[in-house]
Amino acid sequence: MDQVKHYVEANKDRFVSELFDLLRIPSISAQSEHRPDMQRCAEFLAAKLVEAGADRAEVMPTEGNPVVYAEKIIDPKARTVLVYGHYDVMPVDPREEWRTDPFEPVVEQGRIRARGADDDKGQLWMHAKAFEAMCATDSLPCNVKFMLEGEEEIGSPSLYGFCREHRKMLEADVILVSDTSMISMDTPSITCGLRGLAYMEVEVTGPNKDLHSGLFGGAVANPANVLARLVAELVDERGHVTVPGFYDDVRVLTPVERRAFNKAPFSLAAYKRALDIRDVAGEEGFTTIERTGIRPSLDVNGIWGGYTGEGTKTVIPSKASAKISMRLVPNQDYRKISKLFERHFRAIAPKSVRVTVKALHGGMPYVTPTDMPAYRAAERAIADVFGKRPLPFYSGGSIPIISGFESILGIKSLLIGFGLAEDAIHSPNESYGLDQFYKGLETIPLFYKYFAAGK
């Protein structure tokens, strides 16, 4: 591994410069005007993987954005790692809150600032460059395949079909993913659990057109007022989701399990200070890390209706809408939860309005076994680099396709992310620490070494 470390050290400035080229591509999957950028980003990655040492790399079409597939087979009998990542990024709104251009990366105080710097371009780039370092030094110990998609931020709708169609091509012993975070650089961790997701959109319709709020106010239901009341009713004063049946399948941890879960280092004061909030909120009877790791939740992600431009326009809007996400825990099925939500939302709506409820996308929760060989190899690699054994950690986030991989391909996923809470993914001023990037480059080759050698 010394050769790999020397190669990385000699080329790390180039690695960052190439990452900047990747970050400059505005590959926003949620916005149709960026469709050409998705193709351009995929072609960039395919070319770079060939340069890195892949036997082949191609941009493969799907019903949506393309998948980049690449592979290097050193021995058909050797173990195979399938690296998954995504090259699409979240929209940048609100743009005015960015301190710099979101698609012109800069380094500030040791951190790369740009949309996608962490999620997930920075993290997938670690894998591409670690792969290059192993190929260049003739030290790649197992077969490697890459599957990089362009739709993770919109629920990976095309990747399920892609996996079904290409099962044979995607055969592997483990799927390696860096799209998660660690507790901290001082307390490394491996994500062994992800929450599932049910993502909904609701629309409340009243009159057939916007009305004068003076002439009709008080006589006609205002969809914005009604929607505000409806979403407020979805979570009660105890932080409990009110959808009937929502908690029916939630596994309740034993007191021993809860004590073990809460041993992870956590400072409530530092948490509040970092977010500039006076207090936390959530489901009564649970700690903050329990609320985001082992308990489900419901949140309004966006709400709109009526006039929101400059100045005044006194109207009763014809329609009002909201996007709502529910994070789910093991045993909860997003399809069941979506149906329960729709039934409940329609039931609580007054007759004075009409409602439309759409399930936009979702995914199942996921748990990684901590006794599988890949987990043990990652545990050892991280301990070597960080100087301490990583803790198993349950993330509050969701990567819906991960559970899909297991059901379609029959392969377990290993989630070794190098992000941190301060990276502000999905938010303005997203960033990724250079130290995190370099630690990832050091850890990944060690994982390959230990995984290839393990029994």
Side-chain angles (χ1 to χ4, degrees):
M1 287 291 113
D2 285 344
Q3 285 181 301
V4 173
K5 290 181 69 173
H6 291 152
Y7 185 90
V8 169
E9 183 62 31
N11 291 277
K12 65 180 186 180
D13 290 342
R14 173 174 63 84
F15 291 172
V16 173
S17 177
E18 292 174 339
L19 173 57
F20 276 28
D21 291 338
L22 176 62
L23 291 168
R24 289 188 179 102
I25 303 174
S27 48
I28 303 173
S29 55
Q31 297 173 346
S32 58
E33 63 265 30
H34 288 286
R35 189 70 181 264
D37 296 313
M38 307 306 297
Q39 183 71 27
R40 184 159 61 99
C41 195
E43 291 171 356
F44 176 94
L45 287 166
K48 289 298 182 183
L49 287 170
V50 170
E51 290 178 16
D55 296 330
R56 70 182 182 101
E58 56 185 301
V59 176
M60 302 183 70
T62 71
E63 292 182 358
N65 296 320
V67 170
V68 179
Y69 176 79
E71 66 179 26
K72 187 172 186 66
I73 307 300
I74 63 167
D75 181 352
K77 296 179 180 179
R79 281 183 163 174
T80 299
V81 175
L82 174 59
V83 177
Y84 164 79
H86 66 91
Y87 62 86
D88 65 322
V89 300
M90 276 284 181
V92 299
D93 307 290
R95 194 176 186 113
E96 65 274 9
E97 293 187 15
W98 284 81
R99 296 197 293 274
T100 58
D101 185 329
F103 293 110
E104 187 50 56
V106 297
V107 174
E108 295 180 345
Q109 298 179 322
R111 301 186 67 79
I112 301 168
R113 189 174 309 284
R115 174 56 90 221
D118 170 339
D119 185 20
D120 183 42
K121 289 180 178 178
Q123 297 215 58
L124 74 81
W125 199 245
M126 295 183 312
H127 287 275
K129 297 294 103 176
F131 171 72
E132 177 188 319
M134 289 183 287
C135 289
T137 56
D138 196 26
S139 56
L140 185 68
C142 58
N143 305 317
V144 180
K145 299 176 179 180
F146 286 86
M147 177 173 55
L148 310 177
E149 68 150 324
E151 297 183 343
E152 194 277 338
E153 300 294 13
I154 56 173
S156 306
S158 303
L159 197 58
Y160 294 89
F162 181 88
C163 289
R164 293 187 188 98
E165 183 179 352
H166 299 288
R167 281 193 189 96
K168 184 69 177 175
M169 181 182 76
L170 298 172
E171 286 181 350
D173 294 287
V174 70
I175 299 174
L176 182 61
V177 184
S178 291
D179 192 20
T180 53
S181 299
M182 286 188 167
I183 294 173
S184 72
M185 295 295 277
D186 294 327
T187 307
S189 58
I190 298 175
T191 300
C192 57
L194 293 168
R195 290 197 290 186
L197 175 68
Y199 197 97
M200 316 295 293
E201 183 173 310
V202 298
E203 182 180 82
V204 176
T205 303
N208 58 7
K209 56 183 174 295
D210 288 359
L211 301 177
H212 189 292
S213 64
L215 299 178
F216 293 92
V220 176
N222 183 321
N225 292 0
V226 172
L227 178 60
R229 289 198 301 271
L230 294 180
V231 296
E233 289 181 27
L234 294 173
V235 180
D236 66 19
E237 66 279 358
R238 297 176 294 119
H240 200 266
V241 177
T242 60
V243 175
F246 184 81
Y247 293 95
D248 285 357
D249 300 320
V250 173
R251 178 176 174 266
V252 179
L253 271 64
T254 66
V256 172
E257 289 173 318
R258 289 183 66 182
R259 283 195 294 273
F261 186 84
N262 280 285
K263 285 182 179 178
F266 179 76
S267 167
L268 184 59
Y271 185 82
K272 291 189 290 187
R273 186 166 55 251
L275 298 176
D276 194 21
I277 56 175
R278 290 186 295 175
D279 204 357
V280 294
E283 189 179 359
E284 196 174 275
F286 294 91
T287 65
T288 297
I289 59 174
E290 286 178 323
R291 290 167 179 167
T292 57
I294 60 172
R295 298 297 294 173
S297 61
L298 182 152
D299 287 284
V300 175
N301 305 125
I303 188 166
W304 66 96
Y307 181 71
T308 59
E310 184 180 358
T312 62
K313 185 182 181 184
T314 52
V315 295
I316 294 172
S318 173
K319 297 179 180 180
S321 304
K323 294 183 186 290
I324 296 167
S325 65
M326 290 164 283
R327 301 288 174 165
L328 313 176
V329 295
N331 296 345
Q332 286 185 298
D333 187 314
Y334 75 94
R335 292 158 295 200
K336 176 182 176 181
I337 294 298
S338 296
K339 291 177 182 177
L340 291 174
F341 176 91
E342 179 176 1
R343 184 186 309 157
H344 178 62
F345 196 84
R346 291 185 182 280
I348 62 176
K351 293 181 180 179
S352 54
V353 297
R354 301 181 303 280
V355 299
T356 301
V357 183
K358 297 178 183 177
L360 297 184
H361 66 82
M364 300 293 286
Y366 182 77
V367 176
T368 296
T370 57
D371 58 353
M372 68 178 187
Y375 187 95
R376 295 302 186 198
E379 194 173 44
R380 186 176 175 187
I382 291 171
D384 283 0
V385 173
F386 286 81
K388 58 180 68 173
R389 185 176 176 179
L391 295 175
F393 181 71
Y394 285 78
S395 170
S398 307
I399 311 176
I401 192 61
I402 298 297
S403 58
F405 289 153
E406 184 169 10
S407 62
I408 298 169
L409 301 175
I411 310 173
K412 287 287 187 182
S413 294
L414 174 70
L415 304 159
I416 51 169
F418 295 86
L420 297 174
E422 54 261 40
D423 296 349
I425 63 172
H426 294 198
S427 301
N429 303 303
E430 178 181 353
S431 65
Y432 192 46
L434 286 170
D435 190 33
Q436 297 159 246
F437 181 73
Y438 297 139
K439 280 284 200 294
L441 281 171
E442 190 176 351
T443 303
I444 291 164
L446 287 171
F447 164 77
Y448 280 101
K449 174 186 174 182
Y450 295 138
F451 182 60
K455 296 182 180 179

